[in-house]
Amino acid sequence: MTLVHSQSVKNQISLRFKNITLLLDNPEFDLQKPTVFYIHGYVEIASDASVLCVMDAYVKRGDYNILVLDWANLAFGNYLNVVVNIKKVGKESGKALGKLLKNGLSVEGLHLVGHSAGAHVAAVVARVLKKNNFTVPRLTGLDPAYPGFYPAIDTPPIGSKDAVFVDIIHTDSGKYGTPFSTGHADFWPNDGKSTQPGCPPVTLILTNENFCSHWRSWQYWAESVTGGSFVARKCTNYNAFLKGNCSETAHMGLLAKPELRGNFYLRTAANEPFALGETGFI
């Protein structure tokens, strides 16, 4: 597990689970701040752009403790083996967080955020904590992985029962990401499918270009953390959204309110900044 320095993502402190309570004595860890626990996805490492982008966004905000789960040693190789590893990774991570909660960390400010397979790891973490009487207030899935979870090979996928508020951002539904509504609030930018605006329409499998739409989920999330305004409308489907047959508006990303329920649609720009504000739902 990695604690990110409040001033720069270049300054990180790594701790093994067996020594996790040392985190509470670290001057960079402020018990008065909420804590975000970020979990990367398949074939990713903690120094990848996806993780650094999200970490940097929280550093810029300055009002969160930032913890990152580095499970790269179990996130590579045969995908089916990785899917089976998720339950083990989630259980051990949940036990570690449980130690922190029992020794002074406030559960009220805890926010679990997972990308792709990491979303399902985060769900297991939340379940472990719930068994120990710690209910996670918010769990966010960034394009939760589809293959191996619908139907589930080993671990049930992320769902609305896992935390008080579960919000999902879909960007590659039906391919790398799930096409199903699984949270209290599910956001579908550009219908939640590939090809997301700005991504190449034709790609080779398992290349950076091929992951473009899948990766948009953490890019949108990071931008929302630093103030990007992703305004969506609650609607029955994307066609109804395009026709303007929707009413209720909501923010996708960090500002999503816990009382939200249903499916929400919006448009984004093809390049950064991706957020279109109120023009994204017209």
Side-chain angles (χ1 to χ4, degrees):
M1 190 181 293
T2 300
L3 168 67
V4 180
H5 194 288
S6 61
Q7 301 301 316
S8 171
V9 295
K10 294 180 180 179
N11 296 316
Q12 302 175 9
I13 302 148
S14 296
L15 290 170
R16 293 187 177 276
F17 285 163
K18 64 180 180 180
N19 300 320
I20 195 64
T21 53
L22 294 176
L23 183 68
L24 300 173
D25 297 321
N26 191 289
E28 286 299 322
F29 195 80
D30 188 347
L31 287 173
Q32 302 305 310
K33 293 180 179 180
T35 298
V36 60
F37 186 42
Y38 184 76
I39 306 174
H40 65 73
Y42 176 56
V43 296
E44 288 187 316
I45 59 177
S47 60
D48 279 345
S50 60
V51 182
L52 296 178
C53 177
V54 173
M55 289 194 295
D56 186 58
Y58 281 98
V59 167
K60 288 177 179 176
R61 280 191 67 93
D63 55 355
Y64 278 82
N65 297 308
I66 315 154
L67 298 179
V68 175
L69 176 64
D70 182 356
W71 64 292
N73 59 324
L74 295 174
F76 279 76
N78 182 283
Y79 181 74
L80 293 180
N81 290 337
V82 173
V83 170
V84 173
N85 287 335
I86 281 175
K87 186 176 291 184
K88 176 182 178 181
V89 173
K91 284 184 175 180
E92 292 304 314
S93 302
K95 291 178 183 177
L97 275 181
K99 290 180 181 178
L100 295 178
L101 292 169
K102 290 175 182 177
N103 285 278
L105 179 66
S106 171
V107 71
E108 283 78 14
L110 183 61
H111 184 183
L112 307 182
V113 182
H115 171 246
S116 191
H120 303 303
V121 175
V124 176
V125 172
R127 293 165 197 160
V128 171
L129 292 177
K130 184 176 287 188
K131 287 182 179 179
N132 288 279
N133 299 313
F134 293 111
T135 300
V136 174
R138 186 174 179 185
L139 168 61
T140 298
L142 305 178
D143 212 32
Y146 180 34
F149 295 95
Y150 304 90
I153 292 176
D154 184 58
T155 304
I158 185 172
S160 59
K161 294 181 180 179
D162 294 324
V164 175
F165 177 52
V166 179
D167 57 317
I168 309 291
I169 296 177
H170 301 267
T171 55
D172 194 30
S173 64
K175 293 186 178 179
Y176 293 121
T178 175
F180 305 114
S181 299
T182 60
H184 293 107
D186 287 73
F187 292 88
W188 307 84
N190 313 296
D191 204 17
K193 300 176 181 178
S194 61
T195 304
Q196 288 287 308
C199 289
V202 180
T203 61
L204 295 176
I205 192 169
L206 298 180
T207 60
N208 286 354
E209 293 76 16
N210 187 237
F211 284 122
C212 182
S213 292
H214 192 42
W215 287 353
R216 278 289 194 265
S217 58
W218 56 258
Q219 292 175 312
Y220 296 160
W221 180 261
E223 190 174 314
S224 79
V225 170
T226 56
S229 180
F230 293 89
V231 186
R233 281 196 184 275
K234 184 176 182 179
C235 221
T236 53
N237 55 55
Y238 195 57
N239 286 334
F241 166 78
L242 293 176
K243 293 177 180 177
N245 297 331
C246 316
S247 55
E248 179 185 347
T249 61
H251 281 91
M252 178 184 80
L254 186 63
L255 294 180
K257 295 181 179 180
E259 62 268 20
L260 293 177
R261 295 295 183 272
N263 292 290
F264 299 82
Y265 296 85
L266 68 155
R267 294 182 299 107
T268 67
N271 301 292
E272 296 183 86
F274 296 109
L276 294 174
E278 293 189 357
T279 62
F281 66 78
I282 295 175

